[in-house]
Amino acid sequence: METKVWAHRGASGYAPENTLEAFELAMRMGAYGIELDVHRTKDGKLVVIHDETVNRTSNATGYIKDYTCQELKKLDFSNSMSEFKNTRIPTLREVFGLIRASSIMLNIEIKCDRVIYYGIWDELVKLSREFGMDDRIIYSSFNHYVLRELKKIKPQAPTGLLYSCAILDPWVYAEYAEATAIHPHFMIPLNTPGLVEQCHENGIAINAWTANEPEHIAGLVQLGVDGIITNYPDVAIKLLDK
Ligand code: G3P
Ligand code: MG
């Protein structure tokens, strides 16, 4: 099966990460899917942003959990890209609206690393049902307990286990966790001979993040990973076409 290209936080090499602008660009570039990160506001809205705080990517400071959605919508998320001045933070609902008519896939990374958003799994499942997006989403998280909670309410939901150190026999763990895929840091498959084959022999997909150098992307394609998550989907697509 051909390796799929996932746009990391959208085409974030070219537009502010995790914004509608970056997602639109990813679609125009022909990415197979979009990877994005989800947090929850003070008033219970699901918003798309990487960090627990707005400090790095906006013109303000503070935790997402302490802002209402309306307050967040006033901030500038252009993240030092001057041509994108006044770019707004998207809600997940807005992203669903943007991509619904297309066929692009979505990798929703549930951010429950430092702040735990209890019940976010229920809200995600509800929203994806409302938009008829069930078949187009793979959920991932570094917090595997969260994926287990999600599986309790939606057992057939595809899940990817994010991790960043070279754990032993991750396909065994993936089977235990009832996950569809492992999502390792890209250096792990590159440095672990046989990992891709063993995952595939055991029915586990492998999607690697975040490979941006052509040399790394080419190496992952050669290994036959199922997906490459990259800030530069156009570069990966071009390499795959060769
Ligand atoms: O989902 C892949 C990748 O996004 C995981 O790391 O920190 O960029 O969310 P991070
Ligand atoms: Mg992410």
Side-chain angles (χ1 to χ4, degrees):
M1 206 172 63
E2 204 189 52
T3 301
K4 307 283 197 304
V5 175
W6 293 84
H8 181 242
R9 311 179 194 173
S12 59
Y14 307 99
E17 64 179 59
N18 279 326
T19 63
L20 295 182
E21 286 76 356
F23 303 146
E24 269 168 4
L25 194 52
M27 287 197 278
R28 282 209 297 279
M29 287 176 169
Y32 170 79
I34 289 166
E35 187 268 356
L36 54 75
D37 309 286
V38 171
H39 291 259
R40 192 171 63 200
T41 64
K42 191 175 165 183
D43 56 339
K45 299 284 189 306
L46 301 179
V47 286
V48 179
I49 180 169
H50 179 269
D51 302 355
E52 287 75 21
T53 71
V54 299
N55 304 4
R56 180 178 60 85
T57 53
S58 87
N59 56 343
T61 57
Y63 279 83
I64 296 292
K65 68 175 176 55
D66 296 330
Y67 274 95
T68 64
C69 190
Q70 207 181 6
E71 285 164 349
L72 282 178
K73 281 287 187 186
K74 292 182 186 139
L75 308 184
D76 180 352
F77 280 89
S78 54
N79 194 11
S80 307
M81 292 185 173
S82 52
E83 68 275 33
F84 290 94
K85 206 167 164 28
N86 289 326
T87 300
R88 300 297 162 196
I89 190 174
T91 61
L92 187 59
R93 179 176 282 280
E94 285 168 336
V95 177
F96 282 175
L98 174 76
I99 69 169
R100 178 154 52 173
S102 75
S103 58
I104 200 160
M105 300 288 288
L106 207 53
N107 172 192
I108 297 181
E109 183 183 343
I110 310 170
K111 282 292 186 197
C112 279
D113 303 330
R114 292 182 176 83
V115 176
I116 307 294
Y117 304 103
Y118 288 98
I120 194 171
W121 36 88
D122 288 305
E123 293 152 24
L124 286 164
V125 167
K126 229 183 258 166
L127 195 65
S128 79
R129 273 202 196 121
E130 183 188 327
F131 279 81
M133 293 286 294
D134 276 3
D135 300 338
R136 289 168 59 189
I137 298 174
I138 174 160
Y139 295 95
S140 65
S141 187
F142 284 102
N143 186 334
H144 302 171
Y145 288 96
V146 165
L147 296 176
R148 186 155 72 178
E149 289 306 314
L150 187 115
K151 279 272 187 193
K152 281 184 195 163
I153 51 171
K154 195 167 190 301
Q156 74 281 22
T159 52
L161 304 167
L162 279 162
Y163 68 101
S164 55
C165 66
I167 55 173
L168 292 175
D169 303 343
W171 59 90
V172 176
Y173 176 59
E175 208 177 310
Y176 169 72
E178 295 176 31
T180 328
I182 56 167
H183 286 202
H185 181 273
F186 74 91
M187 285 309 296
I188 296 172
L190 288 177
N191 286 338
T192 315
L195 177 63
V196 176
E197 286 82 356
Q198 273 168 305
C199 283
H200 287 168
E201 274 164 26
N202 289 280
I204 303 295
I206 173 164
N207 300 315
W209 55 275
T210 298
N212 292 325
E213 297 298 328
E215 172 198 341
H216 294 142
I217 295 171
L220 292 166
V221 171
Q222 199 147 22
L223 284 173
V225 299
D226 300 85
I228 295 174
I229 303 173
T230 176
N231 297 352
Y232 303 96
D234 56 336
V235 172
I237 290 166
K238 213 168 176 183
L239 277 168
L240 271 161
D241 283 349
K242 270 193 193 163

